[in-house]
Amino acid sequence: MKTRLRIAFLTLGCKLNYAETSTYERKLLRNAKGLEVVPWSQGADLYLVNTCSVTEHSDKKCRNIIRKLHRQSPEAAIFVTGCYAELKRPEIEALEGVQKVFGAKEKSQVVPQMLDHILSLSTSATADGNPQVCSRTDFFGAYSTGERTRSFLKVQDGCDFKCAYCTVPYARGESRNEPIEAIVHKAEEIAATGCREIVLTGVNTGDFGKSTGESFFELIRKLNDVEGIERYRISSIEPNLLTEEMVLWLADGTKFLPHFHIPLQSGCDEILLQMGRRYDTAAFASKLELIRRAFAPRKVFFGIDVIVGFPGETEEHFRQTLDFLENVARPAFIHVFPYSRRAGTPAALRKDQVQDSIKTERVSRLEELSARLHREFIESCLGDKAKVLIESKLKDGSLSGYTENYIKVSCREGQIGNCTEITLDRNNTGLDKDLTEPEE
């Protein structure tokens, strides 16, 4: 008979999900003895699956992985949370092996109910006293652990924007957050683990403060004072929520790095308007130029989201997007998403849906542009001196990490968890090899 309960955690989707899964894991291990965390592929007695529902493909992937887990471990209990769980609860509950499904407002009950299940099992795994039930707050605070150098800190959840193509507001709810004081405390906890870098995550990160009467600007100023944290990145922020005052402060010797992930979605004003976005291409270009000027002479890494094949997008609309990205925005990386028709959204009702074959062809053209722009960005930085946070050791014995402006490099000297300064060249940036995409 087994003496330890095996538990596996699976995360699909965004960095926000990774932060939440990591928090579930910490709380479960803190409150239950006898649990052994194993890779899901080895089989387990319990599974926690944190799902994504950003596209129809995401839904299918979640269903397939749950079915695979049940085939692999027929007696195991599968607990499911995340966006797909919120939007398609009956669909998941009908899958064999699923013990419990937790929607967006039930995240605080994931750990208590899993602990109850652990207590009910006839094994030597026992609870460590009375489990501490998470308070029934509408905001589930989270941050990731496990990496020695970087942590993803959740600062905000939900979205009030309701773009025409998106189900996230229905899956995640309205924009909300916990107080700045609580988030600063989590940043201090992260610093105590030895992590040097924090990535701020959220559904609509810059909209922070809706539920506490605070602001994102207030938050980042407080986080900048946390001792032990040397670098901050903002994982995603809407262009209209990056104010000039905020940009000038970020660039003025703070711990925040010249690396921005900003969603564009289309380089065509007509499509942006139909999507329900809150800016046009002129405003977007102006914001990027402001950031570049403020951070100069440092070169800024911009990662930009783009959706192709939105209903009604013609070849001319798409060419406008290509032209805007190549000749105006010139990001270092493009996150390309084919439009996915999501039930319940205004865009799904439109009759002028774009054929999948056309979307696939446009995705390919944007990916080619992204690869070229990424290479050109790195080439523009050759000869620059850069501070690299060492994150891992490679098979050949060299060390790997990221510069402040998110160029992945290798070097021979340094220590994992510490920063080292190198001069960027074609060899240490990988330009003389097959260039891999950044892990945005």
Side-chain angles (χ1 to χ4, degrees), residues 371-372 374-375 378 394 408-410 426-439:
R372 177 158 57 84
H374 186 215
R375 176 178 286 274
I378 295 175
L394 304 178
K408 190 172 185 178
V409 299
S410 61
R426 301 187 67 85
N427 182 53
N428 59 32
T429 59
L431 281 175
D432 287 338
K433 305 174 184 177
D434 289 333
L435 198 63
T436 57
E437 293 181 347
E439 300 169 1

Side-chain angles (χ1 to χ4, degrees), residues 9 25 62 101 103 133-134 136 184 202 257 274 325 353 370 394 438:
F9 299 88
E25 181 176 346
C62 293
V101 179
V133 177
C134 306
R136 285 184 174 272
V184 169
L257 304 182
Q274 294 174 23
L325 289 167
Q353 300 292 322
S370 177
L394 304 178

